[in-house]
Amino acid sequence: MHTPDRPIIELSSISKTFPGGVRALDSVSLTVKEGEVVAVIGPSGSGKSTMLRCINGLEEIDSGTIVVDGIPLDEKPANRLTIRTEVGMVFQSFNLFPHLSVRENIDIAQIRVRKRSAAQAEERSRELLAKVGLTDKIDAYPSQLSGGQKQRVAIARALAMDPKVMLFDEATSALDPEMIGEVLQVMRDLAAEGMTMLAVTHEMGFAREVASRVLFLDEGAVIEQQEAKAFFQRPSQERSREFLRKVFDFK
């Protein structure tokens, strides 16, 4: 049951500089409310993926604060573990274990982290494979799957942890064009069900159709954020308009 207007992700002035002086994030602030779908767009190297990795604790921020579902992402190991179990993340690469079957890939974290029995884990895995349209691949191995199928398994694996938030880091960028649609459909279904989602994407049609809001980043800074329909019709910043002219049918 969603609570209207309840913030679930809160970034306050987060900054991140990599060795060599590359400033990946420059005082980025963002609040994502429960049930919201926020599309994160911008040119390559603008800090989009770094932002997601910081939210999940995979990268350390230099300054600012991150709070997920009321829990600060700080130096406390318990807080970090809680956040990682509450936040599902789907990467560009599928990161499936090649020596495990599809079912085993989805079962393993349920058993080790959520402490479910093998029977409980398998039941949940079967439910999720049905959800992503891969019931017939339950005993297959990653090498036997297409790229789109692997990514759908990766989504099912993330959902198996019953996360409160799903982060998608360019989930379709490594796929052949004909496979992109099947992954985007799963993401559409999740959005329709009310899953809170923060999605880095180059798929502008998807962002316009599914996102409730768009965050546009460039050179590590927030250039613009507004309701998706308004952004694609009337972006307020010239940098946003320039970007859309290059990647989208915008005049």
Side-chain angles (χ1 to χ4, degrees):
M1 189 78 175
H2 289 312
T3 304
D5 296 328
R6 186 174 80 92
I8 197 160
I9 297 175
E10 298 170 274
L11 311 183
S12 180
S13 300
I14 67 166
S15 294
K16 169 72 177 179
T17 301
F18 287 111
V22 177
R23 196 163 179 80
L25 296 172
D26 187 1
S27 196
V28 170
S29 294
L30 170 68
T31 298
V32 180
K33 295 176 181 176
E34 195 170 19
E36 234 188 336
V37 177
V38 177
V40 184
I41 68 173
S44 297
S46 59
K48 305 182 301 294
S49 296
T50 300
M51 183 181 75
L52 291 198
R53 292 175 64 83
C54 288
I55 292 170
N56 214 23
L58 298 174
E59 295 282 359
E60 299 294 331
I61 58 174
D62 299 327
S63 59
T65 60
I66 297 174
V67 178
V68 178
D69 198 25
I71 301 168
L73 181 65
D74 53 23
E75 70 281 354
K76 295 177 183 175
N79 284 4
R80 288 176 170 265
L81 179 60
T82 300
I83 287 172
R84 283 186 178 169
T85 56
E86 301 292 354
V87 177
M89 189 158 180
V90 178
F91 299 87
Q92 297 177 43
S93 53
F94 321 114
N95 296 327
L96 300 178
F97 295 113
H99 63 291
L100 299 181
S101 70
V102 164
R103 178 183 60 77
E104 290 167 335
N105 263 282
I106 302 172
D107 285 356
I108 188 168
Q110 298 183 68
I111 294 169
R112 293 186 179 181
V113 180
R114 289 297 191 195
K115 307 303 181 185
R116 292 173 184 157
S117 69
Q120 289 171 326
E122 180 174 348
E123 180 180 6
R124 182 64 173 144
S125 296
R126 288 182 181 276
E127 288 174 3
L128 290 168
L129 285 172
K131 185 183 190 72
V132 301
L134 289 174
T135 302
D136 60 328
K137 300 296 184 182
I138 190 167
D139 294 318
Y141 284 81
S143 62
Q144 300 170 305
L145 303 179
S146 69
Q149 290 170 336
K150 289 176 186 176
Q151 194 62 293
R152 283 186 281 160
V153 172
I155 293 172
R157 180 180 59 185
L159 291 172
M161 300 300 287
D162 298 324
K164 294 180 178 177
V165 180
M166 284 288 286
L167 308 179
F168 291 91
D169 185 10
E170 298 183 6
T172 61
S173 65
L175 303 180
D176 292 332
E178 66 269 21
M179 296 176 185
I180 290 173
E182 59 193 39
V183 174
L184 290 181
Q185 187 56 53
V186 172
M187 294 171 68
R188 284 190 190 93
D189 293 343
L190 289 175
E193 292 167 7
M195 173 63 75
T196 307
M197 294 165 54
L198 193 57
V200 170
T201 183
H202 291 299
E203 300 294 330
M204 295 298 110
F206 170 81
R208 183 176 65 171
E209 173 194 349
V210 177
S212 44
R213 189 152 46 99
V214 170
L215 181 78
F216 178 62
L217 289 179
D218 190 25
E219 296 184 350
V222 177
I223 303 300
E224 180 172 355
Q225 59 173 310
Q226 63 167 314
E227 187 265 335
K229 184 178 179 181
F231 177 83
F232 284 103
Q233 289 182 347
R234 298 177 303 279
S236 63
Q237 302 299 312
E238 176 54 34
R239 180 66 186 94
S240 306
R241 292 190 286 272
E242 178 190 356
F243 176 79
L244 288 180
R245 280 193 290 268
K246 291 179 179 178
V247 302
F248 196 62
D249 184 19
F250 178 77
K251 296 179 175 58

